[in-house]
Amino acid sequence: MDLGNIDAVAAGLCEKRLARVGEHLDRSYVKPGKITGCLTAVLRGGQLAYLQGLGDRDRERQLPMTTDTLFRIYSMTKPIVSLALMTLWERGLFTLDDPVHRFIPAWKDLRVREGGAWPEFQTRQVDRPMRIRDLLTHQSGLTYDFMQTTEIDRAYRKMKVAWPSKNYTLDDMIEQLATLPLEFSPGERWNYSVATDVVGFLIERISGQSLPEYLRAVIFEPLGMRDTAFSPREDQLDRFASCYTRDAQKRVVLQDDAQASRYMDRSFYSGGGGLVSTVEDYLRFCQMLLGGGAANGQRIIGRKTLELMVANHLPGGADLASVAMAGFTETDHEGVGFGLGFASKVDPVKNGYPASRGSYYWGGMASTLFWVDPAEELAVVFMTQLIPSSTFNFRGQLEALVYAALN
């Protein structure tokens, strides 16, 4: 992909209107110091229509945002890992309705919390076994430690489930989860969770390769995603962005220093949130999605498999507003369905933003986001490094600005 060949007109967008994206981000976020910097790209019909960096990738060292900046993409890891698992499904190595305990025997007798608190829970049997489909659709009954709404997520915090501490591994996480009850019986509700970390474990168990090895061989190398991995290489450190958060006074403060990052030398390969990547690399992933599973002469996933993944798998075609537990997620709930690793827009009017019905997307905890709109042959990638992603509604604002530029 040639990031130097930018032509909004050839892509069917109004250059003047598209420039409003950067004007808005600079005026509303970068200059007021609400974020240190950002990088936005718009791809349409295979043509790069827009690419602009603003502000700094490292405020403390006064290093500017560049087009090759390396970012923590957190939960934008999930679509990549979900798709990787489905490449094994295409080989007939499992079915979506296989019980998870086929590959994790210790999970055969999972239970659901009825009362009590960690470590003394009152539990009951699940109504049915957890299926692989439940992991991909976040209907597994698992949760996240940062939800801070239930006794189960409190137990995750107490036990440090899925915390990337030194020498902690996916195997450790699986063993911990075997001792904890679920929030609900699989299939009953939708709840954002460590499910995609479990998907990463399944990839290792089914393929016989480590998760980094499998992703590199099946997705990254074929697509030319040279900068995407679970830890920055030594030669990437000078391009690595620092990550920030907001304190109680709403001041932007350093959360993870790029030159002394906790991302270095990690043993926990989080399929739910562990990758670092660049805008160019993630555009390559999006280009493959727009190509029905193929790009640059390389087929990564079958066209019909991808259609299955991005369809709404919620019961009865419901949206998240009707089936999701209360708690954090990387999307609005109104007018949004969920497939096998991707949120999907099922009702743009109800959702309130202009991306087409059938567009699909996800975001990351440091406010990164992407979406793919097959009807418009459009993909957008936005990168910044501000935790949490719920601080600002970048997705809605960018949707309005980008679609207003379509000719």
Side-chain angles (χ1 to χ4, degrees):
M1 182 177 295
D2 182 7
L3 295 187
N5 180 23
I6 304 169
D7 193 332
V9 175
L13 291 110
C14 173
E15 189 172 7
K16 184 177 179 180
R17 282 176 167 255
L18 200 52
R20 295 174 183 173
V21 171
E23 292 166 4
H24 169 70
L25 292 169
D26 195 35
R27 179 182 64 248
S28 300
Y29 295 102
V30 177
K31 284 181 177 173
K34 294 180 179 179
I35 59 175
T36 60
C38 61
L39 184 59
T40 312
V42 179
L43 180 74
R44 192 177 191 218
Q47 171 66 53
L48 188 62
Y50 182 84
L51 179 68
Q52 185 176 25
L54 297 166
D56 293 332
R57 69 177 184 269
D58 187 328
R59 182 186 63 185
E60 286 64 35
R61 297 174 181 85
Q62 297 183 311
L63 298 174
M65 188 66 66
T66 55
T67 56
D68 62 353
T69 294
L70 192 70
F71 300 88
R72 301 155 194 78
I73 64 171
Y74 283 104
S75 288
M76 280 168 59
T77 304
K78 288 181 171 70
I80 294 174
V81 170
S82 298
L83 188 137
L85 181 66
M86 291 301 288
T87 64
L88 294 167
W89 176 82
E90 287 188 322
R91 292 164 56 186
L93 298 177
F94 70 92
T95 74
L96 291 175
D97 289 324
D98 276 346
V100 175
H101 68 248
R102 175 186 169 192
F103 300 101
I104 310 177
W107 285 26
K108 186 171 184 179
D109 297 313
L110 291 176
R111 299 181 69 81
V112 179
R113 175 184 177 268
E114 287 207 313
W118 183 84
E120 301 295 333
F121 288 113
Q122 287 86 57
T123 65
R124 63 171 175 83
Q125 278 191 319
V126 294
D127 294 334
R128 66 161 174 81
M130 184 192 298
R131 299 169 182 162
I132 293 178
R133 182 194 304 272
D134 298 322
L135 293 172
L136 289 163
T137 60
H138 287 290
Q139 296 180 88
S140 63
L142 298 167
T143 190
Y144 263 129
D145 65 289
F146 56 76
M147 292 297 192
Q148 303 201 27
T149 55
T150 72
E151 289 296 330
I152 303 297
D153 61 56
R154 180 173 176 268
Y156 280 39
R157 292 192 295 279
K158 291 285 188 182
M159 295 177 63
K160 297 186 177 181
V161 173
W163 284 26
S165 54
K166 188 174 178 60
N167 299 322
Y168 185 84
T169 67
L170 283 170
D171 292 275
D172 295 327
M173 180 194 70
I174 295 298
E175 290 176 10
Q176 288 175 316
L177 291 172
T179 70
L180 291 170
L182 302 174
E183 293 277 15
F184 50 82
S185 195
E188 282 185 356
R189 303 294 301 275
W190 188 94
N191 190 51
Y192 201 37
S193 74
V194 298
T196 320
D197 290 303
V198 181
V199 167
F201 176 85
L202 291 181
I203 289 172
E204 294 195 335
R205 181 60 57 89
I206 296 169
S207 71
Q209 296 177 264
S210 73
L211 183 59
E213 289 169 347
Y214 192 80
L215 294 181
R216 184 169 56 250
V218 174
I219 297 177
F220 301 155
E221 288 185 356
L223 292 180
M225 295 172 66
R226 293 180 291 272
D227 282 324
T228 305
F230 284 99
S231 291
R233 301 186 308 268
E234 191 70 31
D235 65 298
Q236 293 174 308
L237 284 179
D238 62 342
R239 297 188 281 124
F240 195 26
S242 286
C243 194
Y244 300 86
T245 189
R246 295 211 300 177
D247 64 15
Q249 288 73 46
K250 296 186 178 180
R251 294 173 300 193
V252 173
V253 296
L254 187 65
Q255 187 264 348
D256 186 45
D257 187 337
Q259 302 307 312
S261 176
R262 62 188 62 126
Y263 268 68
M264 300 303 296
D265 191 29
R266 295 192 299 170
S267 57
F268 180 61
Y269 303 126
S270 169
L275 290 174
V276 297
S277 190
T278 61
V279 161
E280 180 177 357
D281 272 15
Y282 217 89
L283 278 176
R284 289 179 183 275
F285 182 68
C286 291
Q287 192 172 38
M288 176 272 297
L289 297 174
L290 282 172
N296 303 324
Q298 300 283 335
R299 176 157 295 282
I300 307 301
I301 195 93
R303 178 175 60 85
K304 297 301 290 185
T305 304
L306 182 59
E307 289 177 8
L308 176 68
M309 291 188 70
V310 301
N312 183 20
H313 286 244
L314 299 181
D319 67 0
L320 289 171
S322 60
V323 298
M325 289 180 62
F328 173 81
T329 180
E330 293 290 350
T331 181
D332 298 309
H333 286 177
E334 300 288 338
V336 175
F338 203 85
L340 305 178
F342 298 84
S344 58
K345 188 164 292 197
V346 295
D347 189 338
V349 173
K350 193 174 180 182
N351 183 241
Y353 302 119
S356 306
R357 186 186 304 273
S359 60
Y360 51 95
Y361 60 92
W362 205 239
M365 185 169 67
S367 301
T368 61
L369 63 90
F370 84 99
W371 77 85
V372 171
D373 187 333
E376 294 289 349
E377 298 183 85
L378 177 77
V380 176
V381 176
F382 173 77
M383 299 286 201
T384 188
Q385 298 282 257
L386 180 73
I387 292 173
S389 57
S390 57
T391 307
F392 302 114
N393 180 20
F394 288 118
R395 184 184 306 282
Q397 295 169 52
L398 287 173
E399 279 194 36
L401 289 161
V402 171
Y403 284 90
L406 290 176
N407 289 330

